[in-house]
DNA sequence: AAGTGATGTGTATTATTCACACGAAGTCAA
DNA sequence: TTGACTTCGTGTGAATAATACACATCACTT
């Protein structure tokens, strides 16, 4: 108790909406933690925590994410800053929200030091959330939808090798629409962004699918330039 | 000096990038103030200031804007939060940046209580700015460009009655490109967003121009829905 | 050998984008 | 009044992109 200021100050936190994609049935998912402390003890919430005075906002987001979920090195981008006066029942807290993209399979989502528990939920079926986290989540999903239509982000959500059908499922799952298979393939291939591999993906009693990977150079270029994906 | 916390806290500020559009030669402009206090005394800077503990971020932005520039009731939207550690030489300051749209002619930009001076600058020619305000400004301009292409925002920048040429100049000035007159008119009229008035705009020794106004209902609807303006 | 199930492919139709030039309507000055 | 000047306002054709749509292929299973 030794930091004193002339005027009262809000506490500053970061909160992260982590999206993952499961090519199987689950589709697009979000990572939530169960709170171990009051307020909202035992409620589900977005991972996050206080910003330290000597770290940037991005650093704080990455640090909290790793502490609470074990995830690191993921795509992370600032979303919006939430600053209504009574977001937190304890005191004035302003939260800088981030959203992140990753592959659920990639890292173990289990063991976390701070939070009691971390779990993936399908975005179509999330539990009630602490604070105004439902609002933050909704904003993140809207942003992700927007992003997907004008920048390639599939790379962050898919494994290194994937089939066109998986990529299509990703788009359908995020955008919440059905997409025509032939038109989808025509379009994504026209970007000259995907490199076909010699390998094929075998699964089930049916024709195996061609595997692709992203061309990292063109991927980055397109991410900067944007493209406008409408189907 | 009576507010004490267990951990050190960053100070929270808002900064506003106010855009105005002058149908004349000046084009797109930004409103800057000359700082009356150290640090960066007498440098140009974005209007802004500290967030009070009992006001929302939006409220803080509007309050500071009015205090420093006299502007109120303008279109205002959160842009991004800047939180690198040494943005401010004095101490850790995190700033929530906003951008705003208005008509320079609308309000008197003169008399301000806090800031020594407030002035419009063409966006193509702004002076060196205090802190990381140049970066904030650049982000705002990028955002405005993006916004213009997928939402109608002209309403906020143009007078109630305007000609198609003025609207086109606005787009050209923000996007930094030339646009074909016929294609532009075809496109904007196709949105069924503009209502032709019985009046005409006379100026100079040439054919007078038809005046239009926005249809407020359709304008709001399109602002929600978005449209995608590419020319 | 026949059945199953996801993969992979092409074309015709329609809408959108883009490039492009000139008469019309006023003002002003001779 | 006439002509010069300047911005306003308009249409078409070519090229490109978007959409709708159906069936043979391949590997595995029984």
């Amino acid at each position: 108790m030794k930091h004193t200021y002339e005027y009262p100050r809000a506490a500053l936190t970061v909160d992260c909406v982590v999206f993952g994609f499961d090519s199987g049935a689950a589709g697009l998912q979000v990572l939530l933690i169960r709170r171990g402390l009051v307020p909202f003890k035992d409620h589900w919430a977005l991972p996050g925590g206080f910003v330290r005075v000597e770290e940037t906002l991005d650093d704080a987001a990455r640090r909290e994410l790793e502490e609470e979920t074990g995830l690191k090195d993921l795509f992370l981008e600032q979303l919006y800053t939430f600053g209504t006066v009574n977001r937190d029942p304890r005191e004035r807290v302003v939260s800088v929200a981030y959203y992140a993209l990753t592959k659920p399979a990639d890292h173990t989502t289990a063991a976390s030091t701070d939070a009691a528990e971390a779990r993936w939920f399908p975005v179509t079926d999330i539990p009630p959330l602490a604070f105004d986290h439902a609002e933050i989540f909704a904003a993140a999903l809207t942003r992700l939808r927007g992003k997907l239509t004008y920048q390639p982000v599939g790379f962050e959500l898919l494994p290194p090798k994937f089939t066109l059908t998986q990529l299509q499922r990703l788009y359908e799952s995020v955008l919440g629409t059905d997409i025509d298979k032939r038109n989808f393939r025509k379009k994504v291939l026209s970007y000259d962004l995907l490199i076909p591999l010699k390998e094929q993906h075998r699964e089930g009693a049916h024709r195996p699918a061609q595997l692709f990977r992203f061309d990292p150079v063109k991927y980055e270029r397109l991410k900067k330039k944007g493209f406008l994906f409408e189907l």
Side-chain angles (χ1 to χ4, degrees), chain A residues 15 17 32 35 44-48 87 95 126 129-139:
Chain A
D15 286 304
V17 182
L32 300 176
R35 283 181 61 84
W44 291 99
L46 299 173
R87 299 181 54 246
S95 180
I126 60 169
L129 298 181
F131 305 106
D132 56 353
H133 287 189
E135 193 187 338
I136 299 178
F137 166 72

Side-chain angles (χ1 to χ4, degrees), chain A residues 83-152:
Chain A
T84 52
V85 175
N86 294 307
R87 299 181 54 246
D88 190 306
R90 293 165 294 184
E91 62 163 335
R92 179 77 193 278
V93 178
V94 170
S95 180
V96 182
Y98 280 78
Y99 72 103
L101 306 179
T102 187
K103 305 123 190 160
D106 240 32
H107 316 261
T108 166
T109 70
S112 68
T113 56
D114 288 24
E117 189 185 352
R119 240 188 75 192
W120 291 102
F121 289 84
V123 295
T124 50
D125 186 28
I126 60 169
L129 298 181
F131 305 106
D132 56 353
H133 287 189
E135 193 187 338
I136 299 178
F137 166 72
L141 190 52
T142 302
R143 173 76 69 93
L144 177 59
R145 289 213 172 108
K147 186 128 196 126
L148 202 61
T149 63
Y150 66 86
Q151 278 192 352

Side-chain angles (χ1 to χ4, degrees), chain A residues 7-100:
Chain A
Y7 298 98
R9 292 193 171 183
L12 233 206
T13 62
V14 287
D15 286 304
C16 301
V17 182
V18 184
F19 291 107
F21 180 70
D22 169 24
S23 305
L28 189 65
Q29 299 184 252
V30 63
L31 186 60
L32 300 176
I33 61 161
R34 194 192 284 277
R35 283 181 61 84
L37 301 169
V38 290
F40 293 100
K41 186 163 172 2
D42 298 328
H43 281 62
W44 291 99
L46 299 173
F50 291 94
V51 177
R52 295 184 185 157
V53 82
E54 80 292 350
E55 71 186 350
T56 66
L57 300 172
D58 287 30
D59 289 346
R62 288 187 192 280
R63 177 181 52 74
E64 287 288 347
L65 219 41
E66 185 170 359
E67 285 178 13
E68 299 196 341
T69 70
L71 293 173
K72 55 182 175 178
D73 294 329
L74 26 66
F75 173 94
L76 185 74
E77 214 172 69
Q78 197 189 107
L79 173 62
Y80 193 80
T81 298
F82 293 80
T84 52
V85 175
N86 294 307
R87 299 181 54 246
D88 190 306
R90 293 165 294 184
E91 62 163 335
R92 179 77 193 278
V93 178
V94 170
S95 180
V96 182
Y98 280 78
Y99 72 103

